Amino acid sequence: MSNNFRTTKSTGLINKDKKINFTFNGTIYHGYEGDTLASALIANGVHLVGRSFKYHRPRGFLGVGVEEPNAMVQLHDGNKSEPNIIATEVELVEGLKAKSQNCWPSVQFDIGEINNVLNRFFPAGFYYKTFMWPKSFWMKIYEPFIRKAAGMGKAPLLPDPDRYEHNYEHCDVLVVGSGPSGLASALAAAKNGARVILAEDKPNFGGSLLTDEVTIGNMSGKEWASDTISQLKSMPNVILKKRSQVFGYYDHNMTVMIERVSDHIENPSKYTPRQRLHYIRAGEVIVSTGSIERPISFGNNDRPGIVLASAAKEYMKVYETLVGKKPIIFTNNDTAYSTALEFIKNDIEPIIVDTRDSSNGELVKEVQQKGISIKFNSGIADTKGHLKINSAIIGKLDSSKESFISEETVECDCICMSGGWTPTVHLSSQAGNKLKFNDDIDAFVPDKKRQKETAIGAANGSFTLNQSLAEGFQVGFDLSNKFTDQNNPTNSPNSNEPSYEKHEKLWCMPLPSGKKPKRFIDFQNDVAVSDVELAIREGFRSIEHVKRYTTLGMAGDQGKTSNLNGLQYVSKIEKKIVPEVGHTTFRPPYTPVTIGAIVGREVGNHYLPTRKSPIHTWHEENNAVFVAAGLWQRPRYYPRGSEDMNSAVNREAANVRKNVGICDVTTLGKIDIKGPDAPEFLNRVYTNAWLKLPVGKARYGVMLREDGMVFDDGTTSRLSENHFHMTTTTAQAANVLSHLEYYLQVVWPDLDVNVLSTTEQWSGIAVAGPKSRDLLSKLFPDVDMSNEGLPFMGLVDSSIDGIKARIYRISFSGELAYEVNVESNYGLYIWKKIMEEGQSFDIQPYGTEALSTLRIEMGHVAGAELDGRTIPFDVGLNSMVSQKKDFIGKRSLSKDAFTESDRQTIVGLVPLDKKTKIPEGSHIIEDNSAVAPIPKLGHVSSSCWSVEYNNPFSIAIIKDGKNKIGKNLYAVSPLKDISIPVEVVSSHYVDPEGSRVRS
Amino acid sequence: MLEIKCPYCGKRSQNEFSYGGDATIKRPKLGEEISTEDWDNFVYYRDNPRGKHSELWHHVSGCRQWFKVSRDTATHEIFDTCKMNEDFNV
């Protein structure tokens, strides 16, 4: 037989002048512009595309669009490789490479097919039954085996090179699906002035109008679709999107749509995104998503060449492709006869098998008039053909339709089956719509809506064209009128289509005599009728349980072709009606979405915004190694020559102790606080007293949460009577502002205070070390820098070169230190100025590591100690807690657990060997020879190399810490498998009296 | 993603806001004697109703105002929003 399965009839949708070469499993084929990978393969006679999930059975195409359960392929290779792509959704593009998945060594000969022979060992729930014991086998034997056996495609190991974008849209009416009802509603809504978005998954608008022989007005359905699209295109209030799938319906009418922007373009320009994710907040959503044809379960109904009748028709009428040349049409309803007629038009005589006793439908009569005989009251019992169907066993049904009376073998190269139609209710269901069962069409349709969502046309169970159009025009007008009030309805044109007789309620054929072939319901998860029977026999009653036990409908296709057949079968065995069995819930996404599209542009450095201080460029020029502090990039240390981090940090820290260092502290949070009640507010927010802070003075403050845990600390200074400048830690800056706003707006709205973040308005430069006073005196000759002129915790305004500067005498390093604040834009200038003047004082910049070293050996607490689990008394901040006034969190501090005498408190640790650095996070224990579980006394919060004493030093928070000073304990790190004998010392390791900062 | 009507700015997407918990909780007065049980009720214990819930939201990426939202915790329906010194209409 020839490998050319093209029809001779032009559909206008395939461009035979543009040949496209592609590769499938290493073989080069060609197709045409307009083809999908599926249609091009079928046109080349290729039906075997993959192996099934569990039994590795040969599988071909079942469908023609999103409903396809079988034809998943791996696309491209290298970093563009993409697994589990549905071949029916891939447009052919020059050079496309695709290969089968879940098979080894090849799709024709797959070792895994042994599972098919052994299928009695793989019944429903086999994972639960088989791999339960021994427990130790799970990780090493069972799991790797299951992973290998249950393989689908392979995820690429390289970063995705493609670009994905996000877009936010708003519209009055979003119409999902461009079949007759969708087009009608979009047209009516747009003509009534509403802002409309019309989304179509396929590359062509029109839905069923592209394949159905109907007339609308004086045009064919296809012409009417194209005419309507050109009308819509010309309207400025309409956005038309094809290749766009609305896959999710979330709260408050937020829908998400994936647009395939450049997958079908041969050489897209560099910055064209591959896909675009649209977040559409729609006023109203019209769900015109149509319906999906149902398969029929019969023996070996999964062989390559067995397709849905509607898919066979679409392959002919859109893609000019024949699924076979010796077709059998197998149906329980009239619609499949249109597929038969299309074959006849292509000079192919189909064999027609109809489960019904008769039908007087127009299409049935038309087929009969062409001289084709129909095998009524018959069904397909079994099929043959290993890699492709070659014959079918057709049986005559008995009157109960529970068994076959006689069987005959008929040669064929394809079976086009139709079990009727399932409305695509996924989006309505996602939106919270409570579905109801419609007995006429034997399917669920949307009923009670929870959001602004309206299903129309086939998605609403309206299967006739007249009904679909009428609903479309009416609903489009009604909904748009909510937004426009233009009151401009569009009338529905007359339409003509064949009349249909009712389908038969039969979706599962009896077994052939003497045999038990598998009759599949869910092709993608390999769930057969026998699995559902087993689940029910084993006592699973709820449909949700049957679903999970058999995995029916749980595959990537979300049971688009299997859910209802599964339900129908359960209801048949259980002798219940379908609505009593109920249905499982549909969840987004309706179709698989690439992770790349969900992530969008938020990859690499775009994952989060980067904040840089105005001095950043200087740090870069001076060899700084940066560290992320929240969103900020801060210099960690400035290595010189071949210095490693430890030596650089020790040098920088030692220079602060000996000479003078300069550190960029711009990242500290800064909040401007103004108002007559500002002192009272601070008095409530901080644990210490604020009412009597003099103007021109700063004070250290600690704030708690209501549960008594330390929330943040920092210095706040009084600039004038009612004006304060608060600083926060870098990490908590945003949270502190929200906290202050909460108390001002929600708890104490009577306080007359305003707060405003000024973090980005100020650049802060710490100048620390014994020589800092001399350096600053030189820089600010007008300011009296003496201990009397600018005492510890004082502040003064001055200027350099006409630039206003505010100088605080505050210290984080424990040395004599100042902080120079200038307007952000002058930060770099002043920094350079200080560096320049500082040369004669041996100034060096220091980064966050040296900053930590300095504060740790001084015993200043920071984020590692203020970790949300410590109260002020735990971390040595007792003197900060006022006994005289109330403040946020104070009541918690008197709770029993918080006043226990042996609470964990802050101490210092020095290793006995004075050499071994104690890893942060180490546990502190008393006896390292004890048998586990060993009582844990606490943990190491911060560690450094003390530059003052030239040995390691750590801060720890340990049980009854104050009474442990002088004792020897162990710091153990099970992760690093080390145990370090340590001596407990005061956390104030250097200058415990704090004389240096006041010198 | 919810769509929340800030009483100052109008309708905005949820990602501009942060959640602030039960709006009916009243902080005890400063300096007031209070039993541990009452204090714990204020700090820790919250009702977790299915259905209508009055809650606080903060327009952090907008006007930075705290305000009240009446929301159904099961369906996410928002019945009303109002400023801190106002009451819900529904």
Side-chain angles (χ1 to χ4, degrees):
Chain A
M1 193 187 283
S2 142
N3 275 349
N4 183 2
F5 286 82
R6 289 289 177 187
T7 66
T8 51
K9 304 220 166 4
S10 171
T11 62
L13 299 169
I14 293 287
N15 178 9
K16 284 195 172 150
D17 293 334
K18 175 100 199 279
K19 209 164 159 179
I20 296 177
N21 296 298
F22 68 103
T23 312
F24 181 63
N25 286 337
T27 306
I28 297 171
Y29 298 96
H30 79 261
Y32 298 109
E33 190 177 58
D35 263 326
T36 60
L37 176 58
S39 67
L41 283 171
I42 293 173
N44 281 282
V46 178
H47 276 262
L48 174 63
V49 278
R51 290 281 176 158
S52 72
F53 179 66
K54 204 157 103 180
Y55 304 123
H56 290 250
R57 291 168 67 105
R59 288 281 167 82
F61 305 94
L62 178 78
V64 66
V66 293
E67 74 284 3
E68 175 58 46
N70 290 331
M72 289 194 297
V73 295
Q74 183 101 22
L75 278 193
H76 314 296
D77 40 30
N79 56 3
K80 280 183 171 268
S81 184
E82 201 175 5
N84 308 333
I85 299 301
I86 305 168
T88 52
E89 289 277 285
V90 178
E91 286 177 73
L92 209 58
V93 64
E94 182 65 32
L96 182 78
K97 277 186 194 165
K99 59 180 183 229
S100 303
Q101 27 185 70
N102 200 25
C103 57
W104 184 84
S106 75
V107 70
Q108 281 83 14
F109 177 72
D110 175 20
I111 297 271
E113 199 177 351
I114 191 81
N115 289 1
N116 190 28
V117 182
L118 301 176
N119 73 59
R120 71 171 70 206
F121 301 113
F122 295 91
F126 83 107
Y127 295 114
Y128 310 112
K129 289 167 177 164
T130 315
F131 302 112
M132 292 303 288
W133 66 91
K135 209 176 159 190
S136 60
F137 272 36
W138 178 254
M139 287 289 280
K140 283 185 180 139
I141 295 170
Y142 294 150
E143 205 203 342
F145 168 78
I146 292 171
R147 285 207 183 281
K148 207 166 163 230
M152 308 258 280
K154 284 197 176 66
L157 297 171
L158 298 161
D160 190 338
D162 290 315
R163 187 186 175 99
Y164 302 87
E165 286 179 356
H166 287 179
N167 179 41
Y168 292 81
E169 286 284 0
H170 293 263
C171 64
D172 298 328
V173 180
L174 167 67
V175 181
V176 187
S178 70
S181 62
L183 286 176
S185 62
L187 188 63
K191 279 189 168 173
N192 198 31
R195 292 178 305 143
V196 174
I197 296 177
L198 173 63
E200 168 59 47
D201 167 50
K202 300 213 170 189
N204 302 303
F205 292 106
S208 63
L209 293 174
L210 297 178
T211 57
D212 286 356
E213 296 285 330
V214 296
T215 57
I216 301 173
N218 51 8
M219 289 180 261
S220 74
K222 201 165 155 183
E223 286 163 349
W224 183 81
S226 128
D227 179 71
T228 305
I229 288 296
S230 25
Q231 283 189 61
L232 290 168
K233 249 182 206 158
S234 69
M235 299 166 87
N237 51 333
V238 178
I239 297 174
L240 294 173
K241 284 283 180 193
K242 53 188 176 186
R243 301 185 173 92
S244 295
Q245 180 80 58
V246 177
F247 65 80
Y249 199 130
Y250 302 89
D251 290 305
H252 296 184
N253 262 33
M254 167 64 86
T255 60
V256 186
M257 174 173 90
I258 180 87
E259 180 188 7
R260 303 185 299 276
V261 182
S262 66
D263 282 344
H264 63 290
I265 299 171
E266 194 176 325
N267 288 309
S269 69
K270 190 178 168 192
Y271 295 109
T272 306
R274 183 179 164 227
Q275 297 177 344
R276 197 178 279 130
L277 199 70
H278 299 263
Y279 290 90
I280 305 171
R281 183 85 71 179
E284 292 279 348
V285 176
I286 294 180
V287 180
S288 51
T289 46
S291 55
I292 290 173
E293 196 163 29
R294 292 165 66 171
I296 298 176
S297 299
F298 53 88
N300 291 308
N301 61 337
D302 64 329
R303 293 194 194 282
I306 303 178
V307 301
L308 294 171
S310 57
K313 185 169 77 168
E314 190 166 331
Y315 281 120
M316 288 186 273
K317 298 208 72 169
V318 173
Y319 299 105
E320 304 179 10
T321 295
L322 295 163
V323 295
K325 293 175 181 172
K326 283 173 80 178
I328 295 177
I329 311 284
F330 178 34
T331 185
N332 71 356
N333 68 85
D334 274 7
T335 59
Y337 285 82
S338 62
T339 306
L341 285 164
E342 199 56 33
F343 273 114
I344 295 167
K345 268 190 214 154
N346 284 289
D347 304 320
I348 292 171
E349 272 199 20
I351 294 162
I352 301 178
V353 180
D354 195 322
T355 62
R356 298 172 298 178
D357 299 337
S358 67
S359 168
N360 288 317
E362 271 177 52
L363 293 177
V364 180
K365 282 186 187 155
E366 200 180 330
V367 166
Q368 282 168 325
Q369 279 158 15
K370 307 253 181 200
I372 310 281
S373 73
I374 299 163
K375 294 174 192 292
F376 279 116
N377 209 3
S378 297
I380 293 180
D382 202 353
T383 66
K384 287 182 183 161
H386 181 217
L387 299 178
K388 170 89 192 285
I389 185 166
N390 58 33
S391 56
I393 315 232
I394 298 175
K396 195 90 189 158
L397 290 159
D398 72 0
S399 58
S400 69
K401 309 215 173 181
E402 298 283 336
S403 64
F404 291 111
I405 306 167
S406 61
E407 292 172 15
E408 59 172 325
T409 304
V410 177
E411 271 188 34
C412 66
D413 67 352
C414 68
I415 295 178
C416 308
M417 60 181 163
S418 176
W421 296 84
T422 309
T424 304
V425 295
H426 295 64
L427 283 182
S428 300
S429 177
Q430 286 179 22
N433 195 305
K434 289 264 173 267
L435 308 177
K436 69 171 177 219
F437 192 74
N438 179 334
D439 213 38
D440 284 338
I441 59 168
D442 277 301
F444 286 96
V445 291
D447 185 23
K448 256 182 88 182
K449 62 177 104 173
R450 211 187 72 202
Q451 297 206 43
K452 289 174 179 165
E453 146 266 330
T454 311
I456 57 170
N460 191 34
S462 308
F463 284 162
T464 69
L465 182 61
N466 253 325
Q467 238 180 324
S468 285
L469 290 172
E471 272 176 25
F473 280 106
Q474 189 63 47
V475 167
F477 167 71
D478 287 347
L479 295 181
S480 59
N481 227 26
K482 290 188 185 180
F483 304 97
T484 70
D485 275 331
Q486 290 188 7
N487 239 346
N488 177 22
T490 308
N491 289 327
S492 181
N494 291 325
S495 66
N496 249 313
E497 67 173 331
S499 74
Y500 297 100
E501 289 230 322
K502 211 171 147 41
H503 67 279
E504 181 161 52
K505 295 173 187 287
L506 192 58
W507 296 276
C508 181
M509 287 299 107
L511 286 167
S513 62
K515 284 187 188 161
K516 284 186 176 172
K518 285 225 173 276
R519 295 169 292 175
F520 284 95
I521 299 176
D522 182 333
F523 295 91
Q524 197 169 96
N525 262 356
D526 263 356
V527 182
V529 169
S530 52
D531 295 314
V532 174
E533 287 170 344
L534 179 73
I536 290 172
R537 213 158 56 229
E538 292 189 356
F540 293 90
R541 287 292 177 276
S542 154
I543 190 66
E544 295 282 358
H545 293 162
V546 172
K547 165 182 162 179
R548 278 158 185 81
Y549 195 58
T550 61
T551 72
L552 174 86
M554 284 172 72
D557 68 346
Q558 290 213 347
K560 291 182 179 70
T561 53
S562 61
N563 273 340
L564 213 50
N565 279 3
L567 275 179
Q568 220 100 32
Y569 200 72
V570 171
S571 75
K572 187 183 160 198
I573 309 179
E574 291 276 273
K575 296 192 170 57
K576 280 182 185 169
I577 53 169
V578 174
E580 279 176 14
V581 176
H583 64 90
T584 54
T585 313
F586 298 101
R587 294 194 174 85
Y590 172 64
T591 49
V593 180
T594 43
I595 299 290
I598 294 168
V599 174
R601 296 286 289 136
E602 292 166 20
V603 286
N605 286 337
H606 295 293
Y607 177 60
L608 287 169
T610 303
R611 298 180 83 178
K612 291 176 182 173
S613 110
I615 308 164
H616 191 84
T617 49
W618 189 92
H619 304 317
E620 282 177 332
E621 286 159 11
N622 287 272
N623 206 28
V625 174
F626 290 93
V627 61
L631 301 178
W632 290 98
Q633 287 292 311
R634 296 192 73 180
R636 192 172 183 197
Y637 57 101
Y638 303 81
R640 287 181 175 175
S642 58
E643 256 182 346
D644 65 5
M645 183 171 95
N646 286 339
S647 18
V649 171
N650 289 351
R651 170 181 51 74
E652 289 170 14
N655 192 59
V656 173
R657 296 267 183 253
K658 191 174 154 213
N659 299 308
V660 59
I662 177 171
C663 183
D664 184 355
V665 294
T666 300
T667 62
L668 284 184
K670 302 169 206 74
I671 299 169
D672 202 64
I673 302 175
K674 271 185 183 165
D677 294 321
E680 170 62 24
F681 181 52
L682 291 174
N683 216 38
R684 297 178 186 185
V685 166
Y686 282 127
T687 58
N688 49 339
W690 285 83
L691 298 178
K692 290 174 185 163
L693 178 71
V695 172
K697 278 284 196 181
R699 184 168 281 177
Y700 176 65
V702 172
M703 54 180 87
L704 310 185
R705 308 190 307 224
E706 293 286 17
D707 65 1
M709 301 298 165
V710 178
F711 173 41
D712 197 47
D713 68 342
T715 52
T716 291
S717 44
R718 192 168 204 168
L719 305 176
S720 68
E721 190 61 26
N722 297 327
H723 186 190
F724 292 79
H725 174 79
M726 174 184 277
T727 67
T728 74
T729 60
T730 301
Q732 296 284 22
N735 296 337
V736 170
L737 183 66
S738 289
H739 178 80
L740 301 182
E741 286 166 338
Y742 173 84
Y743 282 93
L744 285 173
Q745 296 172 25
V746 179
V747 184
W748 302 308
D750 50 308
L751 290 183
D752 192 359
V753 181
N754 267 309
V755 291
L756 187 72
S757 168
T758 53
T759 302
E760 291 179 359
Q761 278 65 40
W762 292 98
S763 197
I765 300 164
V767 182
K771 295 183 183 170
S772 58
R773 174 176 290 134
D774 293 343
L775 169 56
L776 286 195
S777 302
K778 228 175 144 187
L779 279 162
F780 299 96
D782 302 345
V783 179
D784 176 5
M785 289 285 174
S786 70
N787 214 8
E788 296 72 39
L790 182 57
F792 181 53
M793 289 307 215
L795 68 98
V796 63
D797 285 338
S798 182
S799 66
I800 293 186
D801 299 345
I803 300 161
K804 281 185 192 164
R806 182 168 290 149
I807 306 154
Y808 298 86
R809 188 167 160 203
I810 54 179
S811 175
F812 190 57
S813 56
E815 293 296 328
L816 168 67
Y818 302 84
E819 201 183 296
V820 180
N821 276 242
V822 294
E823 196 190 308
S824 285
N825 289 344
Y826 296 114
L828 180 60
Y829 178 83
I830 299 294
W831 174 278
K832 283 182 176 168
K833 189 94 187 166
I834 299 172
M835 278 302 296
E836 202 180 298
E837 284 295 336
Q839 292 310 312
S840 51
F841 300 93
D842 297 315
I843 195 168
Q844 288 181 22
Y846 63 103
T848 55
E849 286 294 328
L851 186 75
S852 292
T853 295
L854 295 165
R855 74 95 187 162
I856 292 168
E857 61 177 9
M858 282 287 172
H860 288 176
V861 291
E865 289 75 37
L866 310 181
D867 62 356
R869 298 180 296 178
T870 48
I871 57 171
F873 310 134
D874 299 344
V875 287
L877 295 172
N878 308 42
S879 66
M880 294 298 297
V881 179
S882 164
Q883 299 302 319
K884 293 180 187 149
K885 55 142 195 173
D886 198 0
F887 51 83
I888 293 169
K890 185 180 190 184
R891 176 64 182 80
S892 289
L893 298 179
S894 57
K895 289 184 62 173
D896 291 348
F898 289 1
T899 53
E900 278 172 7
S901 60
D902 63 347
R903 274 186 73 84
Q904 295 190 348
T905 50
I906 188 168
V907 294
L909 299 177
V910 179
L912 295 186
D913 68 0
K914 305 264 172 127
K915 275 187 210 144
T916 315
K917 276 183 108 176
I918 307 165
E920 289 171 352
S922 296
H923 297 297
I924 305 302
I925 59 170
E926 207 152 343
D927 178 5
N928 76 337
S929 60
V931 181
I934 306 167
K936 179 188 158 188
L937 298 174
H939 73 280
V940 174
S941 55
S942 305
S943 286
C944 72
W945 184 274
S946 164
V947 291
E948 182 91 6
Y949 294 108
N950 202 27
N951 56 248
F953 174 73
S954 292
I955 293 178
I957 298 173
I958 63 172
K959 196 172 171 104
D960 199 16
K962 55 187 178 300
N963 292 319
K964 294 248 165 34
I965 288 174
K967 287 193 176 160
N968 289 355
L969 300 171
Y970 294 91
V972 295
S973 172
L975 280 177
K976 299 193 170 160
D977 198 24
I978 51 172
S979 168
I980 306 162
V982 295
E983 185 193 348
V984 181
V985 298
S986 160
S987 58
H988 300 292
Y989 196 41
V990 173
D991 189 23
E993 296 78 30
S995 56
R996 294 185 193 178
V997 295
R998 292 179 176 83
S999 63
Chain B
M1 194 168 7
L2 308 186
E3 187 177 48
I4 300 168
K5 188 183 169 194
C6 168
Y8 301 89
C9 306
K11 283 183 176 178
R12 296 288 189 277
S13 269
Q14 185 183 347
N15 47 7
E16 291 189 14
F17 300 89
S18 67
Y19 178 67
D22 190 335
T24 62
I25 299 292
K26 288 269 172 286
R27 192 193 188 281
K29 284 207 175 72
L30 283 169
E32 187 183 52
E33 281 283 315
I34 182 167
S35 70
T36 302
E37 194 186 340
D38 287 347
W39 180 256
D40 285 349
N41 277 332
F42 158 64
V43 177
Y44 299 105
Y45 292 97
R46 295 291 180 273
D47 290 333
N48 184 18
R50 181 189 168 88
K52 214 173 201 182
H53 186 237
S54 297
E55 54 202 24
L56 295 172
W57 286 78
H58 188 202
H59 200 180
V60 274
S61 301
C63 64
R64 297 211 57 100
Q65 293 298 307
W66 287 86
F67 60 96
K68 293 191 280 188
V69 174
S70 172
R71 181 181 65 101
D72 189 308
T73 57
T75 65
H76 291 312
E77 183 180 352
I78 291 179
F79 307 106
D80 198 11
T81 63
C82 65
K83 296 178 182 176
M84 285 311 304
N85 60 357
E86 295 172 345
D87 292 318
F88 296 124
N89 286 318
V90 287

